[in-house]
Structures are given as C-alpha cells and as structure tokens.
Amino acid sequence: MCGWTGSSTEEPYRWERRQRGSTFHESGPSCDYTTGTDLGWFMGVTSVSSDSNHTALLTSPMMQQTSVTCRLVIRYFIWDSGHTGFKAFPLWGSILRQDGHRATVWRPEMTSIRGWREATVFLGRTPIPFHLQLHSTRNQGRRGDLAVDQLEFRDCALPRPSSVSGCLQGWFECLRGGCVERRQVCDGTDDCGDGSDEDECTSANGYWFCDFDEDLCGWDLRTISALKWRVWNQANISLSDPLKGPGRDHSTNTVSGNFIYVTKPDNWTTLTADWSSFHSPLLEPTNSTHPCKMVMYTHQFGPRCGGLSVLVAGEQIYPVWERAGSLGDLWVRAEVDFVINSTFQILFVAAIRDREYGGIAIDNIMLSPGCRRSDGKPPKPSWPKPPSHPCTDQLELYCDFHKDCSRAEDEAQCGDFSYAQGSSGWTDTSIGSQGWMLTTTDTGERYLSIVAAPGQQLTEAQMRTPLLGPSGPACSLSFSYRLIGRNPHIGSVALGVVDSVLGHQPKLWEFSGRTSESARDWKTQMVYVGVRSHRFQLEFSARTNQLSSESQIAVKDVHFVSCHADYIPSTPTGLSCNFENDLCSWYQDQTDNYDWTQRTGMDHTISVGSSMVVEMWTPSLRGLSGRLLSFPQPATTEKHCLSFFYKLYGPHTGDTLHPHRCFPWTIPYIIIF
C-alpha cells in the first residue's frame, strides 16, 4: 500500500486493497487504472448498509513541508448506481497537519460513470509535516463503488540551493538557499519556504497587503446589491456541506484563516440578486514608470461561480481583468496592472448563478508601492453603455451551431474563427505559469498562442469555448496549429471536451514535438467531435518546455464542421459498410470509455484491408465499454436483417455486444455495437 493506511470511524466501512474480482460486476471498476486489466490492484471501499453515516479513511505516510506548487495526481472511480446514498460528498481529500489543524483540499465534482477519471489535488504550501487523507462518508453502498489508484505527488519540494553561488540575474535568493523568480517576491505567498521573499513587503516600504485575518485593511464591502461579500473562514462554514466555501484560506492553508466570500445565502430559496461588488479606497493617478500593481488569489469553485471581474472606476468605469466560470478547487494567483491618469478606485464584481453549490472567494491582496491612497475627491465616472438587447432570451439557442438570429449574433462569439468575433469566444482558464493569448497581426491574421502567465501551478495552459451544442453525429472541428522552434521537443498541444454534466472527457487529439522550424508552416487537422447530448465546451490545452521568442505553440482558423444536432449526412452505402474508405453511416460514441478505431490489416472483406478494431492490450482501455453506433434510421414495418463478421481473441477481452439479426421497427432507431 506504499505506506498508506486504511482506517474507519466505525466498522465495517473501510478501504481495502484488492483486484476487480467477480463481486464487482455490478459496482466496482472492471479493471485497475495502472495495468488496465482485472489482474491489477487498487484501493476500494467495502460495502455499507446502515441508518447512519460511516466514514472510511485512507491516510498517507507523514509528508514533510511542501512548496506552493505541490499537487497530487489521483485516479478515482465513483459510480452511483442510483441506490447508494452518495448525496454530495462520497469522496473528498483533506490535509491533517502535525499540529492538529485540518483543511479540505479536494472535492471531486463529477462521478466517473463506471470508468477511471484523473484529477489533480492542489495541496499548496504546508509549512509543517502532515498526512493527506482521502475520506468517504455514506450509509448505503456496494463494494467498490468508490476506488482510487496510481497516486502521484508532483512538484512538492521547496526551492533547492544552487550548485553554484548566487542566483541567475533577475532571480531572488532565498535566505535558506534556493532561488525564486523576481515576480514571486512580495506576492503574498511564501515561495522560498522560509518567508524571506515576503520579508520586505511591509507597509513601511509602501506595500498594502490584506489577508483579512484582522480587518478589511480599507477595502469597502458595502454594495447596493442584495448579494453581499462577507469575511468568512472555513471553520465557521457548516461541516454538513463540504461543497461550500474554499475549504481553507490561502494565507495559512487551514480552516482558521479568513477570506472574503460570496455565494447564495442559505435562507434564499431562489437567487434574488446575481451579482455583488466591493471596492478599494480612492487611489492617486499612476503612470507607466510607477504603475499600481495588484496581486491577488481567487477561489472560483462550483457551478454557482459565474465569474469574477476587476474594473477601474475613474473618469469612466471599464473592466481590466476577468475570469469566467469555475477554475477548480484551489487558490489561483492573478496579477493586474493599473496605469490610470486620474484618481480611481478598484472595483471587484462577482457573478453568482442559481445552482447547487460553490461560490467565489478572494484572499491575500497585495498592492505595490505605486498604489498610493488619495485624500482628494473621487471622480464621477460615466457608466458604460449597456449591451444591445439580444435577439433571443433563450440561452440554449446560443452556440448551438445554428443561426437563429438575423445577423447570426447567437453564433458570432462561440469560438469559430469564421465569424469576426469568433476568436474572442475562446476564454483562457489557465491556472499556471503558462496561458493562452489572442494575437492579431498587421495583416489581420488571428491566432491563439502560449505566453507567460501569472499563475503558480506547473500545469498546462487551458483555453475553452463557451457552452456549445448539443451536437450531431457528423460534428468535427477543423483547425491549423504549429509548434515551431529550433528545439525538436517544443512541447505538446491537445484538444479535449468538458461535458456540462459529466465533466472532463478523454482527449480527442494530441500532438507533441515540433511541426517545423519555420513560422510560415502550419499543419491542418480535422478532429471528430461526434454526438454530444449535453451542452459542452471544447478545450485546447498545451505546455511548452521553454518559453522563448524562438519557439511557439499556436492555433488558428478554428471551424465547426457539420455540428448541428439535427444534421444527419447521407451516405451512398447507408448502413452497409466494409470500412475500407470511411465509416459509412456509423460513428463512434463519444461518451463511452474507449474507442473503436479503423485499422488496416487482415480483414474479412479483401484479406488485407480495413476493419473496426478495439485493441484490448492497449493500456489506455481502463473503462467498461466502447460503442459503435449507426446514424438514426427511419421507422419501417418491413423486416430488415443485419449480418456482420467479428473476431474476438486474446485474454481479458470482455464481451462483444451486438443486436438481433432480424427486426422490424415502427419508430426511428439506431443500432449499437
């Protein structure tokens, strides 16, 4: 068990190390994550049936202090068969420090739909030894309904002393040894591990820092909205609702530290206001030589999180920074520079949705010496003009791949570069040191590329569309991409799907390495998206091995192809298919666990040709099933027969499901393999 130990608050519910086994047929994983077979091992829970809740604990060995970038990559399995009583908190993670302080650090928001799902637990800075604990609390459930496998700690060490004296130019040398980037100095985080990077960031040196542990530091939480920001800490948030609040503050990484937080109040049955604001005192004008720089940490978690914006209220009111939607269960570092030629105030505005759980929190706001308080009179800003009235109030018509408005406004900002504003439909959701930026060249070319970002985490840059769809069986995405530079190992780029109900889905496409040394060379790619019955977002993720002016990862010319849900292409052969040229009227279900693929080799039709294959020895097949579906077929009263040839060989291959050979259907239907 690699040093992990299992325990329980009350027997018999506990974690156990085991294999898939025959008893898991209706509950647990069909295989482990690591080997992808029923011979592999994982940790799963035992069955439970009780009138009261029981908690099973899986506890790590004693871990030493960690850096701010520390994270645990975990593969987990949650399957709610409809009678297990999971409710809102079947599985979550917490840190138990040596001094007895505890903090919630991970709350998965999605079940895994009988397949393994990968998640990242962001542990953050913990200055003393601790245990990581995985909790499962419930009163009813089958054996193996919850399981975890292949846990990996990453980037948890503090900065190490250099083998040569001193640090590189532009870096800061920590008192304990080791170096951090200059941008990490005076950012409200102990990046060194001894606090030396924050020692000089005091009010005596002109800095204005607030962690909300003692007071508001001059920030004014008054607002005309009925929805209010409040100073909270997790210890005061009900433990019966683990999906409420950040779980910990950013300053101390414990439940006792304060932050400011906004969410739907418990006594509201419906959301009577969907926004809230707070603002700074009046500040003096700034210039490019001495700008006002703000570093802050935000926690945007759960479906209630509509987004957060920072605005300038000077002679005019206008936004300077915004992040839409949920960013995950972690504190995210952000930077905003203010160059304003009049006195001004900083205005925060949060949008809250009427959903099940979640909210928005802010902590550790650090303002640089260029942010000077003013005793003057505040200007009377002119309010921006409201946007024009949309052509429809039906939000589900926006970005559904169909032009419902006379000027196609409903499809103009959905991520399709065919429209003037299509490229601006992509939103950067990066939480690390690399992010995406939209660039428009002098010739009018638009592309999205990887640039440096202010986040702390060593994770991929991410960029998403708005909610799209649903989509039809012919839906594909066309785009051009390039990974250019002298180094043959530039980095990687991938395309994925985030389902509005099921969460992150397996990647649709990925490329790593280099496409060319020349900036003029682009590669064109067509990626099959397929049927998506729920609204979804497309996501480009990428990471370059080294940010420099000599290398680049970029994407352009993004187009949705035949994506409307009602579009069914006609094929000359219909359902009859030998798969030599294409899939005819068949398509791969994109909501299953693995794919059928078209492969060339020994086949039935012409001895050496193409067929649809599932390679069961591929390690990535860590799920329950793969499905090949036909396009919807019209109703018929005549009897139709289906014949097909199949081959199933090798160990651990499972079952091949197929329809009855002959059938009449008086309603429209599809056929599923």
Side-chain angles (χ1 to χ4, degrees):
M1 289 173 58
C2 314
W4 291 74
T5 56
S7 60
S8 175
T9 56
E10 188 174 348
E11 292 291 345
Y13 192 46
R14 67 186 188 281
W15 291 90
E16 60 179 356
R17 178 177 177 266
R18 62 161 298 130
Q19 294 168 296
R20 186 257 187 192
S22 59
T23 59
F24 276 14
H25 181 67
E26 295 298 330
S27 58
S30 58
C31 60
D32 80 324
Y33 177 86
T34 309
T35 68
T37 71
D38 57 7
L39 301 179
W41 294 81
F42 54 88
M43 295 299 298
V45 295
T46 59
S47 62
V48 61
S49 179
S50 175
D51 294 332
S52 60
N53 280 335
H54 296 257
T55 298
L57 291 176
L58 184 62
T59 303
S60 76
M62 181 70 78
M63 314 298 292
Q64 300 305 310
Q65 62 172 320
T66 60
S67 68
V68 297
T69 58
C70 184
R71 63 192 188 276
L72 173 77
V73 178
I74 181 173
R75 286 80 181 183
Y76 70 96
F77 177 99
I78 301 178
W79 184 57
D80 188 350
S81 59
H83 52 73
T84 55
F86 273 4
K87 298 182 180 178
F89 46 99
L91 179 65
W92 79 97
S94 71
I95 283 177
L96 177 60
R97 301 186 353 164
Q98 194 175 44
D99 60 7
H101 288 284
R102 183 185 296 277
T104 299
V105 294
W106 177 59
R107 294 161 289 184
E109 298 185 72
M110 302 289 180
T111 65
S112 56
I113 316 301
R114 295 215 64 187
W116 289 101
R117 184 183 293 277
E118 182 176 291
T120 301
V121 182
F122 295 94
L123 303 179
R125 172 80 177 117
T126 303
I128 62 175
F130 67 94
H131 292 286
L132 177 66
Q133 292 187 318
L134 298 177
H135 308 246
S136 176
T137 299
R138 57 180 182 162
N139 57 11
Q140 298 289 328
R142 295 186 178 185
R143 190 181 189 187
D145 282 343
L146 294 157
V148 296
D149 198 9
Q150 197 159 319
L151 313 180
E152 302 173 36
F153 288 96
R154 296 181 182 174
D155 301 311
C156 292
L158 294 171
R160 294 175 180 172
S162 174
S163 57
V164 296
S165 60
C167 298
L168 297 175
Q169 184 177 1
W171 287 63
F172 175 84
E173 185 172 5
C174 302
L175 188 63
R176 59 174 291 276
C179 306
V180 298
E181 294 182 60
R182 179 60 60 177
R183 69 180 183 88
Q184 296 174 286
V185 177
C186 296
D187 67 348
T189 295
D190 176 15
D191 298 285
C192 281
D194 57 13
S196 57
D197 54 314
E198 304 297 310
D199 282 346
E200 302 300 320
C201 317
T202 63
S203 58
N205 291 330
Y207 287 91
W208 175 18
F209 174 70
C210 194
D211 59 10
F212 303 100
D213 285 338
E214 295 182 3
D215 54 35
L216 292 175
C217 318
W219 291 93
D220 192 339
L221 302 189
R222 292 175 297 176
T223 177
I224 61 174
S225 172
L227 195 63
K228 309 293 184 184
W229 288 87
R230 293 179 55 191
V231 177
W232 279 10
N233 60 49
Q234 196 67 25
N236 293 329
I237 296 177
S238 172
L239 295 179
S240 65
D241 185 3
L243 292 177
K244 186 176 181 180
R248 50 186 164 159
D249 77 327
H250 176 265
S251 310
T252 64
N253 211 25
T254 66
V255 298
S256 58
N258 288 349
F259 47 82
I260 54 174
Y261 185 57
V262 61
T263 188
K264 178 183 175 182
D266 294 335
N267 58 353
W268 288 12
T269 55
T270 59
L271 199 64
T272 60
D274 61 2
W275 67 275
S276 184
S277 66
F278 70 94
H279 59 273
S280 72
L282 189 65
L283 301 174
E284 291 284 352
T286 65
N287 55 52
S288 57
T289 306
H290 297 88
C292 169
K293 179 178 180 179
M294 179 175 70
V295 179
M296 61 179 179
Y297 296 84
T298 70
H299 194 282
Q300 299 176 222
F301 174 68
R304 281 186 186 167
C305 178
L308 180 66
S309 300
V310 176
L311 297 86
V312 166
E315 295 178 350
Q316 293 182 324
I317 296 179
Y318 56 91
V320 293
W321 178 94
E322 56 187 357
R323 295 299 294 269
S326 173
L327 300 179
D329 196 2
L330 78 160
W331 288 98
V332 179
R333 184 183 187 274
E335 294 180 3
V336 186
D337 288 341
F338 301 93
V339 180
I340 314 296
N341 59 9
S342 67
T343 56
F344 68 100
Q345 290 174 290
I346 301 171
L347 180 65
F348 284 83
V349 179
I352 297 296
R353 296 170 176 160
D354 199 0
R355 301 288 180 83
E356 297 84 4
Y357 62 89
I360 300 175
I362 297 176
D363 200 7
N364 285 33
I365 301 177
M366 175 75 79
L367 293 173
S368 71
C371 308
R372 297 167 297 158
R373 303 195 194 195
S374 173
D375 296 327
K377 293 183 179 181
K380 297 181 179 180
S382 58
W383 290 90
K385 294 181 179 180
S388 58
H389 192 276
C391 67
T392 175
D393 293 329
Q394 295 179 274
L395 295 180
E396 65 272 12
L397 297 182
Y398 285 87
C399 303
D400 67 346
F401 311 114
H402 183 268
K403 300 175 184 178
D404 297 288
C405 300
S406 59
R407 299 180 181 178
E409 307 98 296
D410 55 316
E411 303 298 315
Q413 297 188 50
C414 302
D416 192 320
F417 278 45
S418 302
Y419 297 89
Q421 297 297 316
S423 56
S424 63
W426 291 91
T427 300
D428 181 37
T429 57
S430 306
I431 60 174
S433 58
Q434 297 183 15
W436 290 90
M437 183 179 72
L438 174 64
T439 299
T440 302
T441 66
D442 295 338
T443 61
E445 182 184 45
R446 294 170 295 163
Y447 60 83
L448 297 148
S449 61
I450 297 297
V451 296
Q456 289 179 318
Q457 304 304 323
L458 303 178
T459 52
E460 294 179 321
Q462 296 175 324
M463 173 182 62
R464 295 183 188 178
T465 65
L467 283 171
L468 307 173
S471 61
C475 182
S476 296
L477 187 76
S478 172
F479 58 92
S480 299
Y481 68 99
R482 67 185 181 194
L483 289 80
I484 55 173
R486 296 179 181 177
N487 189 332
H489 305 289
I490 301 298
S492 61
V493 61
L495 177 68
V497 170
V498 183
D499 189 283
S500 61
V501 175
L502 306 177
H504 275 88
Q505 301 297 289
K507 291 180 179 178
L508 301 177
W509 168 87
E510 56 187 325
F511 176 89
S512 62
R514 180 179 65 183
T515 57
S516 173
E517 291 189 42
S518 172
R520 295 189 298 270
D521 296 338
W522 291 85
K523 297 283 187 180
T524 301
Q525 184 70 37
M526 181 76 77
V527 177
Y528 180 65
V529 176
V531 171
R532 304 284 168 175
S533 56
H534 308 132
R535 297 273 275 177
F536 65 94
Q537 294 171 284
L538 292 174
E539 178 182 83
F540 277 110
S541 58
R543 182 165 181 83
T544 179
N545 294 326
Q546 184 177 4
L547 283 168
S548 72
S549 58
E550 298 179 351
S551 63
Q552 184 188 68
I553 298 177
V555 172
K556 71 169 186 175
D557 296 337
V558 183
H559 302 294
F560 303 126
V561 181
S562 305
C563 281
H564 191 258
D566 294 336
Y567 176 72
I568 307 295
S570 59
T571 61
T573 57
L575 293 181
S576 300
C577 194
N578 59 19
F579 303 109
E580 296 304 326
N581 299 313
D582 53 34
L583 301 190
C584 310
S585 291
W586 298 85
Y587 68 94
Q588 168 64 44
D589 184 3
Q590 298 296 78
T591 62
D592 56 11
N593 304 112
Y594 56 81
D595 289 346
W596 291 82
T597 55
Q598 189 177 11
R599 295 292 175 87
T600 299
M602 297 297 293
D603 81 334
H604 173 269
T605 310
I606 56 175
S607 296
V608 178
S610 296
S611 57
M612 297 303 293
V613 175
V614 175
E615 294 183 346
M616 300 306 298
W617 53 84
T618 301
S620 61
L621 300 184
R622 301 183 177 97
L624 180 69
S625 64
R627 290 183 290 271
L628 186 68
L629 288 75
S630 72
F631 288 162
Q633 302 297 309
T636 177
T637 57
E638 300 178 0
K639 180 178 290 189
H640 287 255
C641 292
L642 175 72
S643 65
F644 56 92
F645 294 86
Y646 68 96
K647 179 168 66 172
L648 189 153
Y649 63 97
H652 315 296
T653 51
D655 301 310
T656 299
L657 304 179
H658 54 82
H660 297 294
R661 293 177 60 87
C662 299
F663 45 89
W665 283 107
T666 57
I667 58 174
Y669 63 94
I670 62 172
I671 301 172
I672 304 174
F673 280 96

